[in-house]
Amino acid sequence: MNDGKVGVLFVCLGNICRSPLAEAVFRAEVQAAGLLEHFEIDSAGTSNYHIGESPDPRTIRSAAERGVHVRHRARQLSDEDFDQFDYILAMDHENLARIKHRAPRGRTLGAHIGLLRAFDGDSDDGAEVPDPYFGGPRGFETVHDLVERACRGLLAHVREQNGV
């Protein structure tokens, strides 16, 4: 959808914990595969709570400990995102419902809208990436593990579906 690139957008509530982490992890996976020029990768939030803010310091710290650099400014999901991205992936059911509610009515969307963990072969159907915001450091580690597995599965899926 985006200049011949595969567009992938990760979405959570505030765009400061889970979705910027997923964006950074997926970008690292794509870069390690030597495919960065074939992708447009971003993240957004369904709310406007943190627009313009940097990711949560705990997200940045836990990612950095694994060699992943999270660089992002929070933004809210926009109408243009539905045209720009091929995959719009929510972290949980609440945000998935918000994305679907926000989707432009009356036209066919080209984007696959779903849950990120649908690409994690080890997860149950409907599995979510839990919000670590109100938890301790271990919550951020767990989220990173879940996101990493799902992003690997997502990359494999995209490569298979798009010949990348």
Side-chain angles (χ1 to χ4, degrees):
M1 279 187 178
N2 191 14
D3 299 327
K5 295 183 177 185
V6 177
V8 180
L9 181 68
F10 300 97
V11 183
C12 67
L13 182 63
N15 194 214
I16 61 168
C17 292
R18 296 170 290 174
S19 58
L21 175 66
E23 173 191 348
V25 167
F26 189 67
R27 182 173 283 112
E29 292 287 333
V30 168
Q31 188 167 9
L35 299 170
L36 205 50
E37 70 275 6
H38 298 285
F39 286 85
E40 179 69 29
I41 305 164
D42 199 359
S43 64
T46 57
S47 76
N48 62 0
Y49 301 149
H50 299 286
I51 291 175
E53 293 180 22
S54 295
D56 188 295
R58 297 168 294 178
T59 295
I60 294 170
R61 186 173 32 258
S62 69
E65 289 171 359
R66 298 183 190 206
V68 175
H69 302 285
V70 180
R71 295 181 192 98
H72 183 76
R73 291 282 178 199
R75 70 178 188 86
Q76 189 173 17
L77 182 69
S78 70
D79 290 343
E80 294 78 26
D81 290 331
F82 293 94
D83 293 321
Q84 184 174 354
F85 293 96
D86 300 288
Y87 295 86
I88 300 176
L89 302 172
M91 300 297 119
D92 57 47
H93 290 283
E94 180 181 338
N95 285 296
L96 180 59
R98 288 175 179 218
I99 293 166
K100 288 179 177 180
H101 180 75
R102 176 78 188 263
R105 304 275 185 250
R107 66 182 169 101
T108 303
L109 298 175
H112 166 87
I113 299 171
L115 292 170
L116 173 60
R117 290 208 48 214
F119 297 97
D120 177 355
D122 293 333
S123 71
D124 296 329
D125 284 345
E128 299 180 324
V129 176
D131 191 346
Y133 189 79
F134 293 106
R138 182 67 198 133
F140 286 84
E141 294 299 320
T142 298
V143 163
H144 194 112
D145 292 341
L146 298 173
V147 164
E148 201 170 72
R149 282 197 312 269
C151 283
R152 284 189 190 123
L154 172 60
L155 181 55
H157 169 83
V158 169
R159 291 184 80 174
E160 180 181 306
Q161 294 296 308
N162 297 281
V164 178

